[in-house]
Amino acid sequence: MNASRYLPKRSSALAVPPPTVLSVSPGSGSVAGGTSVTVTGTNFSGASNVRFGANAAMSFTVDSDTRITAVAPPGTGTVQVTVTTPAGISSQFVTYAYTQVTGPVLSSVTPPSGPAAGGTAVTLTGSGLSSTTAVRFGSTVAPSFTVVSDTQVTAVAPAGSGTVQITVTTSGGTSNGVAYAYGSVPVVSGASPNQGPVFGGNTVILTGSNFLGATAVTFGTTTATSFTVDSPTRISAVVPPGAAGAVQITVTGPGGTSAPGATYFYLAAPVLSSVTPASGPLGGGISVTLTGSHFLNATAVRFGAAAASFTVVSDTRITAVVPPASTAGAVQVTVTTPGGTGGDLTYEYLAAPVLTALSPVVGPVSGGDIVTLTGSGFARTTSVRFGTVTAAFTVVSDTALTATAPPGPPGPVGVTVTTPGGTSPARTYSRVPPPTI
């Protein structure tokens, strides 16, 4: 007997075991279906069906022998996920839970406004945003969006106008709306004052339109130190420092940045280089010439604390009438313009000279006598007169000078000394004729 014919026959190929399902991720999804689910396990090659309970997956892809990506069908409750291959159906009890997903909720949008031309990147925050399929600004679909997380989506605003509601659509429905305002571009039509010092700090009133929501005010390329939106047509701005010259003022708001329309002039402070004459009487009243630079639009000229009347002749020259002073001495001369106050030169108030004595007090009608004058305030003597006739003189000191008596008719004549501080009271000098025989 041939015993070999009673042995079992061997298969020519190894048998393939049925698939096994080890896990699904995520383990739950919307009752409406549409959730992408990753199924992991073994022996998935040749899979012909993936089921969620009794319902076949809406679609599936065999990524590898150990992984399938399937789109969950609609369903309810908790169901077993199975995979079918030519070798059989998986038997492991791995479940997927259908949940009643509420619609997405939006809580805020940042920024809440932008230009009518669109293009602003906004961040939407809320909940249930992970399956976002569309973002709309009013009825207009955003040109692009990115799901950052279940609580955040970023989107690019389309062009629009007015205030619209932003909504997000997901597999769970459409969210509530959050307001987004399309703004008009600000217009700056005027600035008052339109000039000021290079060191800034002064307040300028801007007039125009579309100022609500303004986020920046700039003078040239420098941001204002601070500003307040008083109304849709008015802004109060504190000028920043700047270089001497003209700059354009712009306002940036939700609608964009204004076009150039208002000019502001930074002015250098005045510079004083000379005061002529540099001294005068306590009573003031004399005209002096100030020379320097940046004198245009001067608003004040002062001698010490006292204001003077003045005329701006040019950017480099001012004539001023010296105000009176109560005491002798030097005071600072200053010029004030919209660019500031400048001046480090002085003007000296001088007391009038005092003549106390003459020696001799008598002389011939032919003149020629040397007369000594004593008193005070003689150092800056500009003339000595016998009556109305000017005499040659020599200043010896602040208290003495000598003068040559000019010829004249017999009789008394008043002698005076004149300085920039004024003219002294007169002292009498008498001319006598020669004796007769």
Side-chain angles (χ1 to χ4, degrees):
M1 178 181 289
N2 187 354
S4 63
R5 64 186 182 131
Y6 296 103
L7 295 175
K9 294 183 179 179
R10 294 183 179 180
S11 173
S12 61
L14 294 175
V16 176
T20 60
V21 174
L22 302 178
S23 66
V24 294
S25 178
S28 62
S30 169
V31 294
T35 302
S36 179
V37 178
T38 298
V39 181
T40 57
T42 62
N43 306 318
F44 288 164
S45 295
S48 59
N49 205 348
V50 176
R51 290 184 179 277
F52 289 70
N55 299 320
M58 297 174 68
S59 65
F60 70 90
T61 300
V62 178
D63 302 316
S64 69
D65 192 53
T66 60
R67 171 175 165 149
I68 291 176
T69 301
V71 177
T76 58
T78 299
V79 297
Q80 182 183 7
V81 178
T82 60
V83 174
T84 301
T85 71
I89 302 174
S90 62
S91 60
Q92 294 74 30
F93 196 71
V94 175
T95 60
Y96 177 84
Y98 283 99
T99 58
Q100 185 65 45
V101 178
T102 58
V105 176
L106 289 180
S107 56
S108 67
V109 56
T110 304
S113 57
T120 302
V122 303
T123 298
L124 304 171
T125 56
S127 60
L129 306 181
S130 60
S131 61
T132 296
T133 57
V135 177
R136 287 180 171 81
F137 287 67
S139 60
T140 306
V141 176
S144 64
F145 69 89
T146 301
V147 176
V148 179
S149 68
D150 192 57
T151 60
Q152 187 177 100
V153 171
T154 60
V156 176
S161 61
T163 299
V164 299
Q165 295 294 312
I166 302 177
T167 57
V168 170
T169 299
T170 70
S171 57
T174 299
S175 71
N176 60 301
V178 289
Y180 181 83
Y182 285 101
S184 299
V185 178
V187 175
V188 182
S189 56
S192 180
N194 68 346
Q195 57 186 3
V198 293
F199 49 80
N202 52 309
T203 298
V204 170
I205 303 300
L206 307 180
T207 53
S209 58
N210 305 323
F211 288 164
L212 288 182
T215 55
V217 175
T218 57
F219 288 71
T221 58
T222 307
T223 302
T225 303
S226 63
F227 69 92
T228 302
V229 178
D230 304 318
S231 73
T233 60
R234 171 178 162 138
I235 288 176
S236 301
V238 177
V239 182
V247 297
Q248 292 294 313
I249 303 173
T250 58
V251 173
T252 299
T257 299
S258 64
T263 302
Y264 183 83
F265 297 90
Y266 281 103
L267 303 177
V271 176
L272 188 59
S273 57
S274 70
V275 178
T276 306
S279 59
L282 287 172
I286 67 170
S287 178
V288 299
T289 298
L290 311 180
T291 58
S293 58
H294 310 307
F295 288 166
L296 291 181
N297 300 313
T299 56
V301 173
R302 287 183 170 82
F303 288 71
S309 61
F310 66 95
T311 300
V312 178
V313 180
S314 69
D315 191 53
T316 61
R317 179 177 173 183
I318 289 175
T319 58
V321 177
V322 180
S326 58
T327 58
V331 297
Q332 186 177 20
V333 181
T334 58
V335 176
T336 299
T337 72
T341 298
D344 56 2
L345 299 182
T346 59
Y347 177 86
E348 187 173 8
Y349 283 100
L350 302 172
V354 176
L355 180 58
T356 57
L358 304 175
S359 179
V361 295
V362 177
V365 294
S366 59
D369 280 5
I370 301 299
V371 179
T372 298
L373 290 72
T374 56
S376 61
F378 292 165
R380 301 186 186 186
T381 297
T382 56
S383 68
V384 175
R385 287 183 173 84
F386 285 69
T388 59
V389 180
T390 300
F393 68 92
T394 300
V395 175
V396 177
S397 68
D398 192 56
T399 59
L401 57 80
T402 60
T404 302
V413 64
V415 178
T416 58
V417 176
T418 299
T419 70
T423 299
S424 68
R427 290 288 176 174
T428 302
Y429 177 82
S430 297
R431 296 188 183 95
V432 295
T436 56
I437 300 176

